[in-house]
Amino acid sequence: MTNHNLTGYRLGADIGGTFTDLVIAAPDGGYWTKKLSSTQDDLSRGIIEGMETLLSEQQVAVESIEEIVHGTTVATNAVLEDKGAKTALITTDGFRDVLELRRMRVPSLYSLLYAPPKPLVDRHLRLEVKERVGADGEVIVPLDIDSLHEAINVIREQEAEAVAVCLLHSYRYPDHERAIGEELRRTLPGVFVSLSVDVLPEIREYERTSTTVVNASLGPIVKSYTDSLVKRVKTARSDAPVRIMQSNGGIMSAQRAAQTPVQMLESGPAAGVIAADVLGKRLGLENIITFDMGGTTAKAALIENGSPSYTTDYEIGAGISLSSKLVTGGGHAVKVPVIDLAEVGAGGGSIVRVDPGGALRVGPNSAGSFPGPACYDTGGTDPTVTDANLVLGYINPSHLAGGEVALTPSLAESSMRSAVAEPLGLSLLDAAHGVHAVANVNMIRAIRAVSTYRGRDPRDFALLAFGGSGPIHAADMARSLGIGTVVVPPSPGLFSAVGLLQARPERHFVRTYFTNVADADFEGINRVFDEFVDRSTASMNDEGYDQADIEWLRAVDFRYTGQAHELTIPMSANTLDRGVLSELVSSFHQEHDRTYGHKAEDEPTEIVNLRLTATSRLHGSVPTHSAHDHGSIDAHRRNVYFGPVAGTQETEVIDRPALSTSPTSGPLIVEEYDATTVIPPGCRTHLDEFNNIIIDIPHA
């Protein structure tokens, strides 16, 4: 059995659309960092090359790395770019078009021309088998093997790489799906098989089908990627196991990730929320809005009462990724546990344009790391948010990431002038500030999506800003939202990579269990929870985690009778009885009131799903303080434009160690290896005892 009480070095590797961020944690909690451009031809190559370079700089042997924890956008990009594997779907006779019929929801209420995303399985590969199971689990029509073989022949002829299997009511009677899975693996060796009873044994035919199809289409892609990464690790003379960050904030083995890739769609962003949660507990901040702005997207999440918000309603592929029951239909439904994130296509690399109507647009298309913003001088000619920030004087005019990326200000100015300033009849500085402001408005949508749209007031939260570009925009956004405090952690541009090494192994289990609260069968419910405990123990043991170190959290999904959606309520007890159930129902009423603005305590309530999360208490070396000296900068001044009201001001530029623990008034720019923090005029800032930059926003 593998020893997971690690005492050596650990590597966190977070790959984004523009940069790859690496953090190596030493046994004493110190950590070293490196930021480099993502190697788009083979993302795993950048991890190994960066790891070897960073280890060489610190004179640490590759063999000293005991674990690699990885966050990646491979799965997300495969869906967004429609580059998943060629996938077939096997379903119950009469239900082949569930994937296309979807739900009667659209994200644009008054758009008559709205077209939903193209299904991930073409209709000629959506195949039916003769079988039927009732909602109570009773077999109405037995599985017809001949119809299954007809479907298998089509799959073979069409050379599908993956097969999703989703039968009607299989969450109540899984035997038919299990039999189909066995036959597929026997007759189609090498084809990736995904069963809904393994991926999502819940009600709702469309969501279950969509989630299973997404998992199947990603299977061959993720397996190829993880196999390549593991092989590269071994070639680099390392026996370190590779762990992958899940969308729920836990980690899993690379092998398990290849089996359930749908669990890693928000792999990288989840790590940032985990790091924020750890930092919040350290600072005594219970209510935090996280704001993570990278090169391609901006993400926001909520930490309330010391706990991140989670959801099981999510869509991938929409212009703004929302876990909202009110705005759906823009992407592919993915109903698995995820940290409740909102994501918009607004990052440092977001391309700027003036549309035919004369409106300024920022994103969602991104220049990425190649060809990159115009100022990179690597082939990109379109202006981006980074180009605008460079023109304004917010970022270093010569380079980013300690010299890893050279900048050419004249190219930023010419692209901004020709594409924005001249068409709009603005000065160069006003055009650039307009881009900055529009980007802020776009990103505020993400913050409102996890706060205002959830019945929370953002003024009751601190804003924790990170990512390579987040600290540039955070203070202005906080002022617009009425937020009084902005926190910028150490190593903000690599904060998600730090979070990878703070995450713990997790397994999630769910099963639909319909019953009225008044008729609850406590013995049957507890039997399901006990089964989950046994399965999670076996799963964690397979990866070397001892049962004595496993913690379990049970939860129950409730709804009012007649409702279409439910809310998940955590359960503190190990078994369910009448007293515990009464407390859970009371908590459900309160959460319903907070989420939707009303409650109906006199209405009958239903249990819909039972859930269990298993987590290992064991942990390796956790990064707590940066031990990496990327060199200091000489304090200097440069002209910075803060908009038409504040105008251009000569602004002092310093590094983090030069910032005082006593309050200092803006304007001020704090420049460091992996990010830049802008403190606008009227704001005050200081360093706290943990080396965080604290920005006080006036009139909040």
Side-chain angles (χ1 to χ4, degrees), residues 554-593:
R554 296 158 179 82
V556 181
D557 291 357
F558 292 96
R559 71 182 184 188
Y560 294 124
T561 300
Q563 281 189 316
H565 293 280
E566 56 276 351
L567 293 172
T568 301
I569 306 300
M571 174 177 150
S572 58
N574 292 332
T575 57
L576 190 69
D577 56 28
R578 181 60 61 186
V580 173
L581 181 59
S582 178
E583 293 175 2
L584 291 175
V585 171
S586 177
S587 298
F588 163 69
H589 293 314
Q590 295 173 18
E591 182 60 28
H592 196 282
D593 187 45

Side-chain angles (χ1 to χ4, degrees), residues 213-548:
V213 165
V214 170
N215 192 73
S217 69
L218 293 175
I221 307 297
V222 171
K223 186 177 188 308
S224 175
Y225 175 76
T226 55
D227 286 350
S228 173
L229 177 57
V230 171
K231 183 178 179 181
R232 282 189 178 274
V233 170
K234 292 186 181 300
T235 302
R237 307 182 314 281
S238 174
D239 293 325
V242 177
R243 314 287 178 202
I244 305 294
M245 170 63 76
Q246 303 176 70
S247 304
N248 54 50
I251 57 176
M252 59 182 169
S253 69
Q255 293 74 21
R256 185 168 296 278
Q259 296 170 3
T260 56
V262 73
Q263 300 283 356
M264 53 184 283
L265 282 169
E266 292 296 338
S267 177
V273 180
I274 295 301
D277 184 36
V278 172
L279 180 60
K281 288 179 171 58
R282 194 178 186 190
L283 299 180
L285 287 175
E286 290 195 334
N287 295 328
I288 296 171
I289 295 174
T290 70
F291 170 56
D292 174 8
M293 182 183 178
T296 306
T297 59
K299 285 80 65 176
L302 199 73
I303 297 173
E304 187 174 28
N305 297 323
S307 298
S309 297
Y310 293 87
T311 183
T312 57
D313 290 290
Y314 201 75
E315 287 190 350
I316 182 72
I320 173 171
S321 292
L322 292 177
S323 50
S324 171
K325 300 176 180 64
L326 305 178
V327 184
T328 59
H332 304 285
V334 177
K335 195 171 171 59
V336 295
V338 298
I339 287 179
D340 195 351
L341 285 158
E343 183 172 3
V344 294
S350 292
I351 295 173
V352 180
R353 70 189 191 285
V354 176
D355 70 15
L360 181 61
R361 303 290 184 183
V362 178
N365 295 333
S366 174
S369 58
F370 187 84
C375 61
Y376 282 18
D377 195 15
T378 53
T381 57
D382 294 317
T384 67
V385 174
T386 294
D387 292 302
N389 288 335
L390 180 59
V391 169
L392 293 170
Y394 294 162
I395 60 179
N396 189 301
S398 62
H399 64 262
L400 296 174
E404 291 281 349
V405 179
L407 302 182
T408 306
S410 60
L411 294 177
E413 293 169 1
S414 61
S415 67
M416 191 65 59
R417 183 177 287 109
S418 61
V420 182
E422 292 176 356
L424 295 179
L426 298 173
S427 70
L428 178 62
L429 288 176
D430 282 334
H433 193 266
V435 170
H436 181 86
V438 170
N440 285 351
V441 171
N442 288 346
M443 294 182 293
I444 284 173
R445 291 172 60 213
I447 291 177
R448 291 196 185 281
V450 298
S451 57
T452 308
Y453 300 169
R454 303 284 191 276
R456 275 66 170 176
D457 189 338
R459 293 173 296 184
D460 296 333
F461 295 77
L463 185 65
L464 180 61
F466 54 97
S469 302
I472 295 176
H473 295 256
D476 281 341
M477 292 172 59
R479 182 147 42 191
S480 297
L481 290 162
I483 295 174
T485 302
V486 174
V487 180
V488 182
S491 305
L494 297 109
F495 194 62
S496 290
V498 172
L500 290 170
L501 298 179
Q502 295 171 329
R504 299 195 297 175
E506 282 190 9
R507 300 288 179 273
H508 288 253
F509 298 85
V510 61
R511 183 180 299 168
T512 292
Y513 193 100
F514 264 129
T515 181
N516 291 321
V517 165
D519 303 325
D521 174 8
F522 298 109
E523 183 178 348
I525 291 172
N526 288 320
R527 189 162 51 244
V528 173
F529 280 132
D530 290 342
E531 179 190 333
F532 286 167
V533 168
D534 291 341
R535 289 172 56 193
S536 64
T537 300
S539 175
M540 300 284 265
N541 285 346
D542 285 345
E543 294 188 25
Y545 301 101
D546 192 270
Q547 181 173 353

Side-chain angles (χ1 to χ4, degrees), residues 180-244:
I180 290 174
E182 291 178 7
E183 191 67 8
L184 286 170
R185 295 183 180 100
R186 185 184 70 81
T187 58
L188 299 173
V191 173
F192 185 87
V193 177
S194 179
L195 307 181
S196 77
V197 293
D198 293 330
V199 177
L200 186 68
E202 287 189 45
I203 60 167
R204 295 194 178 89
E205 204 61 24
Y206 164 63
E207 286 81 358
R208 186 158 54 92
T209 304
S210 177
T211 304
T212 307
V213 165
V214 170
N215 192 73
S217 69
L218 293 175
I221 307 297
V222 171
K223 186 177 188 308
S224 175
Y225 175 76
T226 55
D227 286 350
S228 173
L229 177 57
V230 171
K231 183 178 179 181
R232 282 189 178 274
V233 170
K234 292 186 181 300
T235 302
R237 307 182 314 281
S238 174
D239 293 325
V242 177
R243 314 287 178 202
I244 305 294

Side-chain angles (χ1 to χ4, degrees), residues 11 20-24 32-37 39 44-63 65 236-237 401-402 404 628 630 673:
L11 170 70
T20 293
D21 300 334
L22 302 178
V23 172
I24 292 180
W32 309 304
T33 60
K34 192 167 191 64
K35 181 181 282 284
L36 61 156
S37 295
T39 50
S44 63
R45 176 170 62 85
I47 295 176
I48 302 305
E49 292 177 355
M51 177 186 74
E52 291 176 332
T53 300
L54 187 53
L55 288 173
S56 176
E57 291 173 354
Q58 303 303 320
Q59 298 182 342
V60 174
V62 172
E63 293 82 0
I65 298 293
R237 307 182 314 281
E404 291 281 349
H628 202 158
H630 286 286
Y673 167 72

